[in-house]
C-alpha cells in the first residue's frame, strides 16, 4: 500500500472517530412508528412508549437524576431505569449536556424522561409532540 493510500486510510479513520465522538454528545434520537414512539440512545439502548398510553407531557429542568437501578452512563449519556426523589422509579434516555428534559407520564403512572439534540431541539419536540400524538390517535394528552 502506497503512502497516499495510508494517508487516505488515516483520514477515513479520523472522520469515523470524530463522527462517533460527536454522536455520543448528541446521542438521543426519536422515531415515530405505527403505534409507538421509540427513543434511541447510544450503544443500542432504546425504549418505546405506546401513543395511546401517554397521559401527559412536560418540559422540565433536569433535577438530580438519582441512581441507576438498571442502566448506567456512558460519558455524557445516561440510560435505563433510575430512581430519584423527583420522579421515583423512572425510565431515562438522555444526554446530560443540557438542563431541560421531556417527561412523559403514562396512564399507569410510569414516567419516561428524555431529551433530544440540544436545548432548542428539545423545546421544539416538546411543543410538537402533542400534535404528532394527535395524528396517531392520542388527542387527550395534557401538557404542562
Amino acid at each position: 500500500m502506497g503512502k497516499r493510500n495510508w494517508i487516505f486510510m488515516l483520514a477515513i479513520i479520523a472522520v469515523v472517530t470524530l463522527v462517533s465522538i460527536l454522536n455520543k454528545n448528541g446521542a438521543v434520537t426519536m422515531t415515530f412508528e405505527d403505534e409507538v414512539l421509540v427513543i434511541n440512545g447510544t450503544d443500542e439502548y432504546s425504549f418505546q412508549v405506546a401513543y395511546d398510553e401517554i397521559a401527559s407531557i412536560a418540559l422540565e429542568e433536569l433535577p438530580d437524576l438519582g441512581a441507576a437501578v438498571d442502566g448506567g452512563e456512558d460519558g455524557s449519556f445516561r440510560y435505563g431505569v433510575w430512581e430519584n426523589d423527583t420522579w421515583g422509579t423512572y425510565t431515562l434516555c438522555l444526554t446530560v449536556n443540557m438542563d431541560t428534559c421531556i417527561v412523559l407520564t403514562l396512564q399507569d403512572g410510569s414516567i419516561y424522561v428524555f431529551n433530544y439534540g440540544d436545548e432548542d431541539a428539545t423545546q421544539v419536540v416538546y411543543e410538537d409532540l402533542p400534535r404528532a400524538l394527535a395524528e396517531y390517535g392520542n388527542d387527550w394528552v395534557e401538557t404542562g
Side-chain angles (χ1 to χ4, degrees):
M1 186 178 278
K3 183 178 180 181
R4 182 177 234 152
N5 289 341
W6 277 106
I7 292 172
F8 183 68
M9 185 183 295
L10 288 174
I12 289 173
I13 291 171
V15 168
V16 168
T17 302
L18 180 61
V19 168
S20 176
I21 290 169
L22 291 175
N23 188 37
K24 292 277 188 196
N25 292 331
V28 179
T29 61
M30 295 176 19
T31 307
F32 289 91
E33 306 250 335
D34 287 337
E35 297 180 10
V36 295
L37 172 65
V38 180
I39 307 297
N40 299 294
T42 60
D43 298 329
E44 299 181 14
Y45 176 80
S46 69
F47 65 76
Q48 338 182 343
V49 179
Y51 302 126
D52 61 358
E53 293 179 8
I54 299 173
S56 69
I57 302 169
L59 184 68
E60 297 187 16
E61 292 294 315
L62 207 56
D64 175 20
L65 295 175
V69 175
D70 181 24
E73 55 187 288
D74 179 9
S76 63
F77 177 68
R78 295 192 180 147
Y79 61 92
V81 177
W82 287 62
E83 188 170 57
N84 70 7
D85 292 336
T86 304
W87 298 308
T89 302
Y90 64 99
T91 302
L92 176 70
C93 185
L94 57 77
T95 56
V96 293
N97 60 347
M98 62 184 90
D99 296 327
T100 58
C101 60
I102 296 171
V103 179
L104 302 177
T105 303
L106 304 190
Q107 292 176 5
D108 68 2
S110 301
I111 295 178
Y112 290 79
V113 178
F114 69 99
N115 54 22
Y116 184 79
D118 58 22
E119 296 284 345
D120 292 335
T122 299
Q123 177 75 36
V124 168
V125 167
Y126 166 72
E127 292 170 357
D128 289 345
L129 202 49
R131 180 191 49 76
L133 291 175
E135 290 178 16
Y136 287 98
N138 181 342
D139 55 0
W140 63 83
V141 70
E142 295 179 26
T143 58

